[in-house]
Amino acid sequence: MHHLPNPSAAAIWPPLRRFIAGEHRLGRFMARRRSTSACYEFFRFGVKQAWACLFGGIAVFLMIATWRFYPQDAPLARYDFLFLCMIAVQIALLAGRLESLEEAKVILIYHLVGTVMELFKTEVGSWIYPEPNFFRIGGVPLFSGFMYSCIGSYICRAWRLFDFEFTAHPRRLAFAALSVAIYVNFFSHHYMLDLRWLLFALAGWLLFRTRVYFRVWHEHRSMPLLLGLVLVTLFIWLSENIGTFTKIWIYPSQRHGWSMVSVDKIGSWFLLLIISYTLVSLINKPRERRVRSGRLSARSVASAAWRGPVTDNLCRFKALKPK
């Protein structure tokens, strides 16, 4: 008995299900030639990444838009406007079932973890928020926690969109222990020896053999998980440069004029990403990739998907609807 290909990831979110049939027809057309098939898979990869970045992309857009257009004499402070906007976005994602309640809980936890660290870091002068506002604790506007939420949201959404599978994945208990050590070091290194190089080494040791398999179209591609985390870290660092350029927050070296954020911060964001990944793995148990007998090859599965009627897939997608 032949196994049908996995359903479209769009079936996860009800508002996108109506586009599945059209995308299936487009996929069948693009699959006729090797060149167009490769281009279409690359296009799908970009679209999926953009969709995974939805929450973070909105946050970056709001940072740029408010820096450029928000009135300085507005009754509502810019930071407060951003705070209310991000709350509205979070509610909209939940109401539109574009985010699950379990994911929202993990994102909220990371929001709180990030806010606590922000309180400490601003107190010791690592960075500042230069504008006054109402919704704040000490020197930290409450919207700042959403910047950490963006990272958690991206990992949650990418995990589902790309149907992650793993080989040689470390135990989650080991990740949790490493994350606790990382978080403690963010505070303790101001008073004692900075252990971040030891933490880098431990992260490399845990992840050295781990590969993540991700499905862009019909086949699963793979890459080292460590490399994937480094690439995500680079994008976070670029977003941080946007944040400081738009004066959402600034470092001491930027008080007299903007400059690129130090590359040293890439390491800090990598360690924070480990914490975020650990939290997400608590609700998305890493699925070990196995080769099962009787399965079709990836090429045969793809071929069956292109030839199969749209109605077969639609029936399977409907089965995913909550009852």
Side-chain angles (χ1 to χ4, degrees), residues 87-158:
I87 289 178
V89 169
Q90 185 71 78
I91 293 173
L93 290 177
L94 287 171
R97 297 166 69 185
L98 297 176
E99 189 172 87
S100 70
L101 186 59
E102 290 75 16
E103 290 172 348
K105 290 177 181 177
V106 171
I107 291 169
L108 175 61
I109 292 172
Y110 196 39
H111 185 122
L112 297 174
V113 166
T115 300
V116 171
M117 191 177 72
E118 289 279 329
L119 288 167
F120 177 80
K121 290 292 188 177
T122 53
E123 182 67 25
V124 298
S126 296
W127 56 79
I128 63 169
Y129 292 89
E131 300 178 23
N133 75 305
F134 177 75
F135 296 109
R136 67 191 297 126
I137 301 175
V140 180
L142 292 184
F143 89 90
S144 65
F146 282 109
M147 293 182 288
Y148 298 89
S149 299
C150 291
I151 302 172
S153 176
Y154 168 79
I155 297 176
C156 284
R157 296 169 70 83

Side-chain angles (χ1 to χ4, degrees), residues 207-218:
L207 295 168
F208 181 73
R209 296 175 53 247
T210 306
R211 294 191 72 85
V212 56
Y213 291 77
F214 53 96
R215 184 166 61 90
V216 178
W217 195 2
H218 298 300

